[in-house]
Structure formats: C-alpha cells, structure tokens
Amino acid sequence: MRLDDNPGLPPLIQTRVETLSLLDSFPPAWRALLPEPVVTETLPKLEQRLAQAQAAGAHILPPRRDWFNALSLVAPGDVKVVILGQDPYPTAGNAHGLAFSVTRQTKLPSSLQNIFKELSSDLGVPPPAHGDLTDWAHQGVLLLNTVLTVEEGRAHAHKNWGWEKVTDAIIAALARDHEGLVFILWGGYAQKKSPLIDPARHLIIKEVHPSGLSVYRGFWGSKPFSKANAYLLAQGKTPVRWA
C-alpha cells in the first residue's frame, strides 16, 4: 500500500509524503531506468520551476501525492500495454496521475466517454460506471502522461518544463529492455514518441485522439483493445480484462 492511500495517516507522515523531493518520490524501480542527466539535471530544475510556480500562487494538478501514480501502480517488468496521454486534466478533482483516467466521483470527460464507447463497440462490453482506470494499471497497463503536472485551468501549462525528458526516458527504456509490448498512441502528440519504439519488437497502435474533435476521423472502429489483446496472446501473455 502506498503511504498516501491511507487517509488515516498521522499528519507528520502525510506532510512528509507531500514534501519529498521529486527524485525521492520517484518509484525506485522506475528511477533506476533514468539516465544520469535526467537525475542530476532535469529533475532538480523541474522541481525548482514547480516550486516557483506554487510560490507564485499556481494550483498544480494532480495533488503532489499522485504525480507518480501511473508508475507506482505497475512495475517496469509487469508492463504489457502503454497508453500515452499528453498532460493531466486541468480541472481540480479530475486528474489522479493516470492518463485519461479520472477519480470515481468525477463526471466523465468527453475523451474518456469516447474511449468507453469504442471499448463497447470493440469488445461488446457495457460502458463502465465510472472513469477510474486503476484496474487497468493493476493488469500491466501503464497509463502515462508525457507531462505529469498541469496548472489548474491552463491545459499544457507545463509543456517543455522537463517532464518530457523524464517520460521519454521511461518509454525508451521499456522499448529497449522488453519485448512484445503494445504502445497505444492516440493523437499527433503521442505519435511523436514512436521513434523511441522499435516496431519490429513491439506493436504500435496509432490512431487519432479520442477527443470530440477527431473521433470521426478514424477513432471509431479502430478496435485498439481487441488488437492489443490479440497481440498479447500471440506473445504468450495474458490479455487485459478491459471491462
């Protein structure tokens, strides 16, 4: 169990969870994959910039305890599928550290509604009653935003702050150190990461983004979930229970 999963923790421990450095907060198994420049240069500079933004009154999302949620829920060796997002939802209470996922009490954003509609069409399962995708993570789906924080009300506010170097290193390490993974790249931003992945060793699924602006340009009927499971089975791996 993660420390911050327990609302009954003493205040001193809760405070410590919130004040750990970025490097100390990084799940150790994933931290070991980061190249030295990311550890010694990128993370300290990123931490300084985030601290300056907070000191200036910016409300950073998701809560700090959830910044590395995607990495805390699945170990590198257990990853079977990687779904890339861009950055967290900029509405307070929505994002909790998993790409496209929202907390259980949150109304479904349009992109997630469209993902669930395609899931139903693809696999014939009813749409989930909530948008918390933690169960996918527990099965080896890494729901990784390429930028792990955002300012409330300002989408993409932390683009090019340094998170991309961190998550690029993670994507590259997974593609290098493992075989037979599925990378689902929805939209142009995610698809820019494809050069980090060898298509001879992994399945890359590229489709338009599931936002309302683009679903009619190829997302409907793309069947990413059944394609991913068919590939995993061919690799001798357990398919994901997407329902």
Side-chain angles (χ1 to χ4, degrees):
M1 182 184 70
R2 293 169 22 152
L3 286 177
D4 50 340
D5 284 336
N6 188 343
L9 284 173
L12 181 62
I13 297 179
Q14 289 280 18
T15 300
R16 181 175 178 272
V17 169
E18 293 291 335
T19 57
L20 288 172
S21 71
L22 283 184
L23 184 59
D24 289 337
S25 301
F26 223 94
W30 292 99
R31 185 171 59 204
L33 303 181
L34 300 178
E36 184 177 354
V38 170
V39 172
T40 61
E41 299 174 20
T42 304
L43 284 177
K45 289 179 181 178
L46 177 57
E47 183 156 37
Q48 182 180 34
R49 192 161 187 182
L50 289 165
Q52 290 172 343
Q54 286 183 309
H59 184 201
I60 294 178
L61 301 175
R64 186 178 178 116
R65 64 181 180 273
D66 290 334
W67 289 0
F68 298 114
N69 207 11
L71 304 177
S72 297
L73 291 174
V74 55
D78 294 331
V79 173
K80 294 186 289 189
V81 179
V82 180
I83 297 179
L84 287 183
Q86 187 165 351
D87 62 350
Y89 297 114
T91 302
N94 285 15
H96 63 133
L98 303 178
F100 295 103
S101 182
V102 293
T103 54
R104 290 192 172 224
Q105 64 271 23
T106 301
K107 181 181 178 181
L108 298 184
S110 62
S111 292
L112 189 54
Q113 289 182 43
N114 292 333
I115 289 170
F116 285 167
K117 287 177 182 177
E118 179 59 25
L119 171 63
S120 276
S121 173
D122 187 3
L123 298 180
V125 299
H130 59 79
D132 185 346
L133 305 180
T134 298
D135 184 60
W136 291 2
H138 286 156
Q139 296 180 68
V141 180
L142 178 61
L143 294 151
L144 184 66
N145 280 316
T146 57
V147 175
L148 300 188
T149 59
V150 72
E151 183 178 336
E152 182 179 3
R154 295 184 59 217
H156 318 314
H158 296 173
K159 183 179 179 181
N160 298 325
W161 279 29
W163 281 123
E164 294 91 342
K165 293 181 180 179
V166 178
T167 53
D168 280 3
I170 289 170
I171 296 165
L174 286 172
R176 179 192 67 228
D177 297 341
H178 301 277
E179 298 282 345
L181 303 183
V182 179
F183 290 85
I184 298 179
L185 312 181
W186 284 324
Y189 189 86
Q191 289 168 21
K192 290 178 181 178
K193 307 300 179 181
S194 58
L196 301 171
I197 308 159
D198 184 352
R201 299 173 58 194
H202 307 284
L203 175 64
I204 304 176
I205 297 175
K206 295 182 181 181
E207 298 296 347
V208 298
H209 195 275
S211 71
L213 298 175
S214 57
V215 285
Y216 295 99
R217 293 190 282 110
F219 185 76
W220 298 136
S222 59
K223 300 185 180 298
F225 306 101
S226 59
K227 288 177 182 176
N229 277 355
Y231 181 80
L232 292 173
L233 284 168
Q235 301 299 310
K237 299 180 180 182
T238 305
V240 176
R241 299 185 311 276
W242 296 107

